Amino acid sequence: MCTVHIFPTSVFGSTLEMADYVDSLLSDSDCTPKLYDRFTSDDIGLACSDVLIFMVATTGNGDFPKQFRAIYADILSRNLDLSSSRVGVIAFGDSSYKKFCGAGEKLHDAIQDQRCECLCPLLKIDASSYVEPEDVIAAWLASEFRALVDD
C-alpha cells in the first residue's frame, strides 16, 4: 500500500474542494491519502519517498498563489530535492487568460528538471470549461496517475 500526499494551493478555495475530492477517491483505493491544508517545504521534503500530488491554482499572470511561492523557489534552487519522488500535478486555471495554468506548467517543468522517478502528464483543469471537474480528475487518477502508484 502506498501513501499519497496531496498538496493543494488555492486562491479562492476551489482547489481545496477538489483536493478533498481526490482524498476521498484515494481513500476508496489501495492507497492511503494524506491531505495537507497547510504545508511547508519541510512537509514536502518529509514526504519525498512517497507519491505526491500537487494541485496548483494559477493566479494573476501565470503566478502561484502566495502561500506556494517560497516552496516553488525551494524547488528551483534544489533546496527541496524531489529527484527520488513520484509526482503528479493538477493545474487549475481559466483559458480566457493568456497564461492558462501557468503556475502548474512552471511546477511541472521544475519537477521534470529534477528528473523525478516517474511523472505522469500534467492535468489542466479549465475553469471556463469544467464547472465541476470531478469526472476529469477521476479519469486522470484512474489512468495516468495510476501509473505513478503502480510503478
Side-chain angles (χ1 to χ4, degrees):
M1 180 177 285
C2 70
T3 301
V4 179
H5 301 268
I6 306 165
F7 298 103
T9 66
S10 191
V11 178
F12 299 112
S14 58
T15 305
L16 298 175
E17 290 175 27
M18 289 299 97
D20 285 334
Y21 177 68
V22 168
D23 182 67
S24 70
L25 287 177
L26 292 174
S27 292
D28 293 336
S29 73
D30 55 348
C31 296
T32 302
K34 184 170 182 183
L35 175 60
Y36 296 78
D37 291 333
R38 295 181 182 179
F39 56 92
T40 65
S41 292
D42 290 339
D43 295 317
I44 297 169
L46 292 171
C48 276
S49 63
D50 294 319
V51 177
L52 314 177
I53 297 178
F54 290 101
M55 301 180 70
V56 182
T58 297
T59 185
N61 193 22
D63 300 320
F64 290 99
K66 187 177 183 179
Q67 74 270 24
F68 196 76
R69 292 177 190 158
I71 294 169
Y72 179 66
D74 284 345
I75 293 170
L76 286 179
S77 67
R78 306 230 187 234
N79 288 336
L80 180 56
D81 182 8
L82 299 175
S83 61
S84 65
S85 302
R86 294 175 290 161
V87 181
V89 178
I90 302 174
F92 295 84
D94 185 328
S95 63
S96 65
Y97 287 86
K98 186 176 180 179
K99 301 263 183 163
F100 168 60
C101 289
E105 289 176 342
K106 286 188 240 181
L107 177 61
H108 191 260
D109 290 347
I111 289 168
Q112 283 184 315
D113 287 346
Q114 287 205 13
R115 293 180 176 81
C116 290
E117 203 174 283
C118 179
L119 190 67
C120 56
L122 171 68
L123 174 61
K124 293 182 181 181
I125 301 291
D126 184 356
S128 63
S129 297
Y130 301 110
V131 177
E132 297 179 4
E134 289 86 350
D135 291 342
V136 176
I137 291 172
W140 181 82
L141 285 171
S143 62
E144 303 293 346
F145 183 75
R146 193 75 225 165
L148 272 178
V149 175
D150 290 341
D151 277 355

